[in-house]
């Protein structure tokens, strides 16, 4: 474990942040990626902007001069560094309304300020906008804005919504046809290289091994105490696999190291490492629905830590794929498995599917409570959440809680209000536990 001083707002120094070794490894991978992006065009490489859910990382990496850029990651990293507020305001001055997803506004604000990455390096303009559409309409409007801004070509992959909860052969064939006729030709055109399906198989085999390790890490939360926090901590655990690193040797190494760390904690009967230090006593086990707030991420996490609350499963950790429900990238069926991956992204799953998944998590992970963090500007998650709350409570018998915040707009993180609500919620859980004892 290592520590570092954090002074995000230029004020007095915060207490040291405690980090797992795998987090240090991940930090190096991210810094290296931003450095490569800064040099991309001078070294003859090309930038492919694409989104986290439904990302086709292995396909992009088949072409060794293509580098992926993920706008949502830039937005959330800027928020964690307390820079997104100004970017959101910039975008609103340009006419983007208060209701627009704040990831989009942070991205627009960032590019207007010179397209400097959260690492302080310059991002290359996109050579291709790879729009993998997995259920969130905002993705389409976002890339329309970037297409206007950069005049860059677009490759679109349309994933049919799992409206009735099933993926048919016709839906899969439709996706494979788009990959063959639209996506791969545009990647070939952008890179000037020929697509090699054997290279794709190699990368998918690596992904698969890393995915096995990730699932072992997520499922370790079935232990009591849970050795991980599957919401706040999981943000770091899903980082490499949901972004630029799936299919790389670096990601494979990262997940092997992470799994070993977590297995050590299970063997020692230890709880998760949090920025405030190891959690000594697990008082509440929660399932959480909805993305976290990024602008006050550490403060938000601390509110749970101070109450001895550990998140044992979350929907956010599945935003880029439901690996824990059995999906793996498959080198023997490369294009079909890329299609299946896109179908399974959380935003592409209908409400009954989300309710069933969350109810199963409550039972499988032996949770005491179910909490929703409803994000003001993310309709893809927030629509239907009150119905989800009622249904999960009814099906599992656990007490539900509801708080509201936003992704990267600091105006919508009301610290006192959220703390109050959480304290009342934990009191309720505590009374219920006492009553059951
Ligand atoms: S899923 Fe939510 S946060 Fe992501 S782009 Fe869509 S609206 Fe924004």
């Amino acid at each position: 474990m290592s520590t570092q001083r954090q002074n995000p707002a230029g004020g007095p120094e915060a207490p040291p942040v405690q980090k797992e070794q795998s987090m240090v490894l991940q930090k190096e991978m991210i810094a290296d990626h931003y450095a490569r992006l800064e040099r991309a065009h001078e070294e003859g490489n090309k930038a492919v902007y694409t989104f986290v859910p439904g990302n086709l990382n292995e396909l992009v990496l088949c072409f060794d001069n293509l580098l992926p850029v993920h706008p949502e990651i830039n937005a959330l990293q800027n928020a964690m560094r307390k820079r997104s507020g100004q970017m959101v305001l910039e975008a609103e001055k340009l006419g983007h309304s208060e209701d627009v997803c704040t990831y989009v506004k942070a991205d627009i604000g960032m590019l207007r300020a010179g397209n400097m990455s959260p690492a302080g390096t310059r991002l290359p303009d996109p050579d291709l906008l790879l729009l993998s559409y997995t259920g969130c309409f905002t993705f389409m409007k976002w890339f329309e804005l970037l297409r206007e801004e950069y005049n860059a070509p677009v490759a679109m992959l349309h994933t049919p919504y799992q409206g009735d909860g099933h993926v048919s052969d016709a839906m899969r064939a439709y996706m494979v046809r788009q990959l063959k006729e639209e996506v791969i030709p545009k990647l070939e055109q952008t890179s000037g290289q020929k697509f090699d399906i054997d290279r794709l198989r190699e990368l998918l085999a690596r992904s698969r091994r890393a995915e096995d390790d990730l699932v072992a890490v997520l499922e370790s939360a079935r232990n009591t105490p849970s050795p991980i926090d599957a919401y706040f901590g999981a943000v770091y655990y899903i980082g490499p696999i949901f972004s630029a690193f799936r299919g790389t040797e670096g990601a494979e190494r990262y997940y092997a190291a992470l799994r070993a760390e977590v297995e050590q904690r299970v063997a020692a009967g230890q709880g998760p490492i949090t920025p405030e230090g190891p959690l000594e006593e697990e008082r509440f086990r929660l399932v959480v629905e909805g993305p976290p707030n990024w602008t006050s991420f550490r403060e938000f996490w601390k509110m749970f830590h101070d109450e001895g609350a550990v998140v044992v499963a979350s929907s956010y950790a599945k935003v880029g794929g439901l690996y824990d429900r059995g999906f793996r990238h498959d080198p023997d069926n490369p294009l079909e498995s890329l299609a299946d991956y896109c179908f399974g992204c959380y935003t592409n799953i209908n409400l009954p599917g989300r309710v069933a998944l969350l109810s199963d998590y409550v039972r499988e992970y032996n949770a005491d409570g179910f909490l929703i963090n409803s994000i003001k500007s993310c309709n893809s998650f927030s629509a239907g959440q009150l119905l989800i709350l009622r249904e999960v409570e009814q099906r599992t018998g656990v007490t539900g809680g509801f708080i509201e915040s936003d992704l990267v707009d600091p105006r919508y993180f009301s610290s006192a209000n959220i703390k109050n609500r959480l304290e009342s919620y934990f009191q309720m859980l505590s009374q219920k536990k006492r009553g059951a004892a």
Side-chain angles (χ1 to χ4, degrees):
M1 199 193 313
S2 71
T3 60
Q4 74 164 37
R5 287 277 167 190
Q6 203 185 49
N7 186 10
E13 280 193 341
V17 173
Q18 299 224 2
K19 292 192 169 197
E20 296 160 89
Q21 279 308 328
S22 53
M23 281 168 78
V24 177
L25 199 60
Q26 181 175 160
K27 201 171 163 213
E28 288 166 7
M29 289 159 72
I30 294 171
D32 179 57
H33 185 64
Y34 278 125
R36 287 186 68 206
L37 283 172
E38 185 166 47
R39 302 188 306 266
H41 285 161
E42 72 192 57
E43 291 181 349
N45 294 325
K46 307 282 173 73
V48 177
Y49 283 34
T50 195
F51 294 114
V52 168
N55 88 61
L56 305 171
N57 209 51
E58 299 87 348
L59 194 55
V60 173
L61 297 186
C62 278
F63 303 88
D64 56 24
N65 59 350
L66 298 186
L67 294 171
V69 176
H70 299 90
E72 313 103 299
I73 307 271
N74 294 331
L76 73 87
Q77 296 257 358
N78 275 322
M80 288 175 109
R81 290 166 172 78
K82 309 276 183 202
R83 294 188 197 137
S84 58
Q86 192 52 37
M87 295 168 176
V88 169
L89 289 178
E90 261 329 294
E92 286 180 2
K93 271 193 226 149
L94 295 169
H96 297 283
S97 104
E98 272 203 31
D99 294 336
V100 170
C101 166
T102 48
Y103 276 171
V104 180
K105 287 190 287 188
D107 190 41
I108 298 293
M110 183 186 80
L111 78 86
R112 281 307 161 100
N115 221 15
M116 298 302 288
S117 80
T121 52
R122 219 189 129 71
L123 287 166
D125 289 358
D127 297 286
L128 179 70
L129 299 168
L130 173 54
L131 171 50
S132 180
Y133 172 82
T134 49
C136 174
F137 194 67
T138 300
F139 286 141
M140 291 219 264
K141 304 316 280 177
W142 194 343
F143 269 12
E144 273 176 26
L145 291 169
L146 295 193
R147 186 183 56 188
E148 271 172 34
E149 191 72 33
Y150 293 111
N151 197 21
V154 178
M156 163 107 184
L157 176 69
H158 167 239
T159 305
Y161 188 60
Q162 283 205 43
D164 58 5
H166 296 288
V167 175
S168 67
D169 289 346
M171 284 159 75
R172 193 173 288 110
Y174 168 67
M175 291 284 282
V176 170
R177 197 168 66 240
Q178 290 180 81
L179 287 168
K180 285 182 177 166
E181 294 176 4
E182 161 79 4
V183 177
I184 293 173
K186 289 227 169 106
L187 289 170
E188 287 183 324
Q189 230 170 19
T190 307
S191 73
Q193 296 176 5
K194 221 47 216 134
F195 170 60
D196 174 359
I197 198 152
D198 290 327
R199 170 89 180 124
L200 179 61
R201 289 182 208 278
E202 264 172 49
L203 296 170
L204 292 175
R206 269 197 213 132
S207 298
R208 194 184 179 101
R209 291 191 287 271
E211 287 157 6
D212 283 342
D213 286 337
L214 171 70
V215 170
V217 168
L218 294 176
E219 292 189 339
S220 71
R222 293 180 189 207
N223 289 282
T224 305
S226 168
I228 62 160
D229 184 286
Y231 186 52
F232 297 103
V235 158
Y236 297 96
Y237 306 154
I238 59 177
I241 219 153
F242 285 5
S243 62
F245 306 103
R246 205 180 62 229
T248 66
E249 281 172 19
E252 219 185 319
R253 268 197 309 276
Y254 167 81
Y255 284 101
L258 175 65
R259 182 175 182 171
E261 269 174 28
V262 169
E263 284 174 353
Q264 270 181 14
R265 289 211 291 278
V266 173
Q270 291 169 337
I273 311 279
T274 80
E276 317 306 321
L279 187 80
E280 302 297 349
E281 189 199 355
E282 179 185 283
R283 292 183 60 221
F284 305 109
R285 296 168 65 84
L286 303 178
V287 170
V288 172
E289 147 74 9
N293 163 271
W294 300 109
T295 52
S296 299
F297 185 78
R298 183 176 173 185
E299 187 186 353
F300 193 26
W301 191 349
K302 188 173 185 306
M303 291 178 193
F304 290 71
H305 172 271
D306 290 350
E307 297 281 349
V310 179
V311 181
V312 288
S314 68
S315 52
Y316 184 68
K318 317 296 152 38
V319 70
L322 288 173
Y323 297 110
D324 63 332
R325 286 356 230 177
F327 170 77
R328 294 289 184 280
H329 283 92
D330 179 3
D332 294 332
N333 297 289
L335 298 183
E336 292 76 5
S337 85
L338 287 177
D340 284 343
Y341 166 70
C342 294
F343 285 124
C345 291
Y346 189 71
T347 48
N348 204 50
I349 294 175
N350 65 13
L351 275 186
R354 294 182 196 195
V355 168
L357 183 73
L358 292 162
S359 303
D360 286 347
Y361 283 159
V362 169
R363 294 185 201 105
E364 290 168 17
Y365 287 80
N366 198 19
D368 308 303
F370 171 64
L371 182 73
I372 292 180
N373 180 35
S374 187
I375 294 294
K376 178 187 171 290
S377 65
C378 173
N379 290 333
S380 291
F381 266 91
S382 303
Q385 276 178 334
L386 285 173
L387 172 92
I388 291 178
L389 182 69
R390 238 188 349 260
E391 280 292 317
V392 173
E393 277 187 321
Q394 264 171 22
R395 290 184 193 192
T396 63
V398 299
T399 305
F402 196 88
I403 51 174
E404 289 165 286
S405 65
D406 189 55
L407 297 162
V408 299
D409 188 339
R411 291 172 298 182
Y412 296 103
F413 186 84
S414 166
S415 176
N417 193 6
I418 291 176
K419 196 166 189 312
N420 262 341
R421 285 217 203 172
L422 284 175
E423 281 173 0
S424 321
Y425 179 60
F426 290 128
Q427 266 173 21
M428 257 189 325
L429 292 188
S430 191
Q431 276 165 9
K432 198 166 170 189
K433 277 186 143 193
R434 273 202 302 273

